[in-house]
Amino acid sequence: MASRGPAVRIALSALGYVVVARFSLYFVVQPEGVASFWPPSGYFLGVLLLTPRKEWPAQVAALFAANALTNGFNGTPVLPSLGFALANCVESLCAAWLMQRALGMRLTMGRLKEVMGLVALAAVASNMATALLGASVPALAFGAPFWMTWRLWWISASAGMLLVTPVIVSWADISRKPLRELSFPRVVEGSLLFLSMSIVAGIIFRSPGDDLARFLPLPYATFPFLMWAAVRFGPRGGSLGSLLLAMTAVYYTSRGTGPFAVAVEVPSMVYRMLLVQAFLSVAVVCSLMLGTVIDERRRADEALRTAYADLEQRIQARTLELSAANLALQSEVAIRTRAEAQVRRTLAELARSNAELQEFAYVASHDLQEPLRAVTGTVQLLQQRYQDQLDSRANDLIQHAVEGASRMKSFIIDLLSYSRVGRGGLERKPTDIPAVVKNVLANLAISVNESGAAVTYQGVASVMAEAAQLGQLVQNLV
């Protein structure tokens, strides 16, 4: 199935060539046997430009056969028919190769450089050389003047390429975006345009032209219609309008009517065709160039609008992202502000609690000294007065009470010192570590005996410290 696609396409192209060539025989100039306007050249070139390069040999062979058979069916001898077919194939093949070589593989006739390439490479350079082969056929077969036939062949093939190739190439993708862009007003405008141009061209080229001085400028009255088609419908409209004008002008001029039929004193159809070909060449080139320039400008404007719309969308998306990030940042700042306020409140509460604790410690230590002093004095008085009257057990108990009261007094003094921590009342001084440890073990003697623990210590003799805090540290460790 995949191989049937190219075969069907080549067969349809050959059939189309037969139809176009059959129609073009109406423009053949006798006795030279050369067409004044040869659309098959443009058709052949357009088909090659739209065909993949690998299919060119089969395409050229099919169109060669179609051209030869068409000439044979119209009474042309075999050898001239083959010669015409060979010349037509060579000119279109050379033009297609030059254009694709210079302009690239994908051509749409929508760019100015493609129109200039069609004019310079195909119509001028390629056809100027291949017309030598084409002119040799009627010169040898029918005795036609070589250089006159060469010039007519060159211009007729060039006119066919300039008029037909842009129509085929530019309308090849009509099934895509252009059809979707067609609206009822544009259809009405296009119909009105081509109808009015056909009427005006028919009036101009059907007139007998008695007054030559006023009659010669009339063909240029069709230029506004060509400009209208190029400006409003781009290369497609310009090329189609030029082809319609060319068919009208050539048809009526070949029948002896119109400005170009009466513009020469010598009643030679060759000269008449040269005049109409020159007029059509100028008209089609101007129409195509204007259409492509406007179409390129339109595509550039569309690309600019698309880029602007894309930029607007990106800006909006970025703005939304920045807004979301800003909101998140504001939320984070608010959370951090609340956290900092909570920390400040906690620190203030802690400072207040520490102040109250220090105040309580100071007051408690100061108030406890008086009751302890009374207890200590009473116990010491008992020891002094009744020491001789009591047994040793009672004296030991009294001694323990006196020592406990002394240690309690030392604790109260240490507590008073602790309460002065925040007031700058503490200072470090050399402290005897063994003495501090001994006092701690004396305070904890009951707990140590009950637990059966053994406490040992070794190390330096003294350090720079506050004795009460160092004692609290050692007691916590024990």
Side-chain angles (χ1 to χ4, degrees):
M1 292 297 294
S3 61
R4 293 178 57 184
V8 172
R9 184 167 56 249
I10 291 172
L12 292 177
S13 300
L15 180 60
Y17 186 90
V18 171
V19 174
V20 174
R22 180 68 179 177
F23 174 77
S24 301
L25 292 177
Y26 290 101
F27 306 131
V28 174
V29 177
Q30 299 297 341
E32 292 86 349
V34 178
S36 57
F37 166 55
W38 190 239
S41 297
Y43 176 86
F44 200 163
L45 177 59
V47 169
L48 289 179
L49 292 178
L50 296 176
T51 301
R53 184 75 67 86
K54 63 181 180 180
E55 299 179 11
W56 278 15
Q59 190 74 71
V60 171
L63 295 182
F64 174 84
N67 194 343
L69 290 176
T70 302
N71 292 330
F73 290 153
N74 287 278
T76 306
V78 175
L79 290 179
S81 297
L82 295 177
F84 284 130
L86 178 62
N88 290 327
C89 290
V90 170
E91 69 182 7
S92 297
L93 185 60
C94 291
W97 183 84
L98 284 176
M99 290 187 64
Q100 286 197 350
R101 182 75 174 179
L103 303 176
M105 300 299 293
R106 177 61 177 166
L107 302 178
T108 61
M109 291 299 157
R111 296 176 295 175
L112 181 60
K113 68 176 185 178
E114 294 182 6
V115 175
M116 299 304 297
L118 177 65
V119 174
L121 299 177
V124 177
S126 177
N127 285 351
M128 183 182 294
T130 55
L132 296 173
L133 177 61
S136 300
V137 177
L140 295 175
F142 307 110
F146 180 81
W147 291 111
M148 177 63 71
T149 306
W150 169 80
R151 183 170 59 179
L152 186 60
W153 182 290
W154 172 29
I155 298 177
S156 64
S158 299
M161 291 181 179
L162 293 176
L163 290 167
V164 179
T165 301
V167 176
I168 295 176
V169 176
S170 62
W171 286 87
D173 59 348
I174 189 60
S175 59
R176 301 176 186 175
K177 187 177 179 181
L179 273 184
R180 296 193 298 268
E181 294 178 346
L182 286 179
S183 59
F184 181 74
R186 288 185 64 83
V187 173
V188 173
E189 180 186 2
S191 302
L192 180 62
L193 164 64
F194 292 113
L195 178 62
S196 57
M197 185 172 66
S198 299
I199 294 175
V200 172
I203 294 174
I204 292 174
F205 290 101
R206 287 182 61 185
S207 302
D210 298 331
D211 190 352
L212 187 60
R214 290 187 300 176
F215 196 47
L216 277 179
L218 286 182
Y220 297 96
T222 58
F223 268 48
F225 295 97
L226 293 178
M227 302 302 104
W228 180 6
V231 170
R232 294 291 296 161
F233 298 95
R236 295 183 180 89
S239 61
L240 191 59
S242 300
L243 180 60
L244 180 61
L245 175 63
M247 293 172 61
T248 305
V250 172
Y251 178 80
Y252 287 111
T253 301
S254 63
R255 280 154 180 76
T257 61
F260 301 112
V262 298
V264 292
E265 298 180 357
V266 180
S268 173
M269 187 59 65
V270 174
Y271 284 102
R272 295 175 182 176
M273 290 299 105
L274 289 176
L275 290 177
V276 73
Q277 288 167 350
F279 166 76
L280 292 176
S281 299
V282 174
V284 68
V285 170
C286 293
S287 176
L288 288 176
M289 291 180 65
L290 179 62
T292 52
V293 168
I294 292 178
D295 194 56
E296 285 183 336
R297 176 65 179 272
R298 178 184 58 81
R299 290 198 301 269
D301 291 340
E302 290 180 354
L304 183 61
R305 285 194 296 269
T306 302
Y308 180 77
D310 182 66
L311 180 60
E312 285 290 334
Q313 292 178 355
R314 292 186 179 183
I315 292 176
Q316 291 178 1
R318 186 58 178 168
T319 302
L320 292 176
E321 292 178 0
L322 292 177
S323 299
N326 188 28
L327 292 176
L329 182 61
Q330 291 178 357
S331 177
E332 183 178 353
V333 169
I335 294 174
R336 179 167 295 184
T337 302
R338 290 194 297 270
E340 291 176 352
Q342 182 64 31
V343 169
R344 286 194 296 269
R345 289 193 297 269
T346 304
L347 291 176
E349 183 66 21
L350 182 60
R352 184 189 61 79
S353 177
N354 289 336
E356 291 178 353
L357 181 60
Q358 290 177 1
E359 186 67 24
F360 172 77
Y362 178 78
V363 173
S365 61
H366 184 273
D367 293 343
L368 287 176
Q369 290 188 48
E370 290 301 326
L372 182 61
R373 188 178 298 113
V375 172
T376 303
T378 302
V379 173
Q380 289 177 349
L381 184 60
L382 287 174
Q383 185 181 22
Q384 293 175 1
R385 290 186 178 184
Y386 301 103
Q387 182 176 6
D388 297 336
Q389 301 178 11
L390 299 175
D391 57 7
S392 60
R393 178 61 178 170
N395 288 329
D396 291 338
L397 292 176
I398 291 173
Q399 183 64 31
H400 282 302
V402 172
E403 292 177 357
S406 299
R407 288 193 296 272
M408 179 63 71
K409 182 178 179 181
S410 177
F411 284 153
I412 292 174
I413 293 173
D414 293 341
L415 181 61
L416 181 61
S417 299
Y418 173 75
S419 66
R420 295 171 182 167
V421 171
R423 304 180 184 183
L426 297 177
E427 61 176 325
R428 292 183 298 174
K429 58 183 179 180
T431 302
D432 187 14
I433 293 180
V436 172
V437 174
K438 182 178 180 181
N439 290 333
V440 169
L441 293 178
N443 294 334
L444 300 176
I446 297 176
S447 299
V448 171
N449 292 330
E450 290 178 351
S451 62
V455 180
T456 59
Y457 64 91
Q458 62 181 358
V460 296
S462 65
V463 294
M464 295 295 295
E466 203 281 324
Q469 292 184 356
L470 183 59
Q472 187 66 39
L473 174 62
V474 173
Q475 183 169 330
N476 291 335
L477 290 175
V478 175

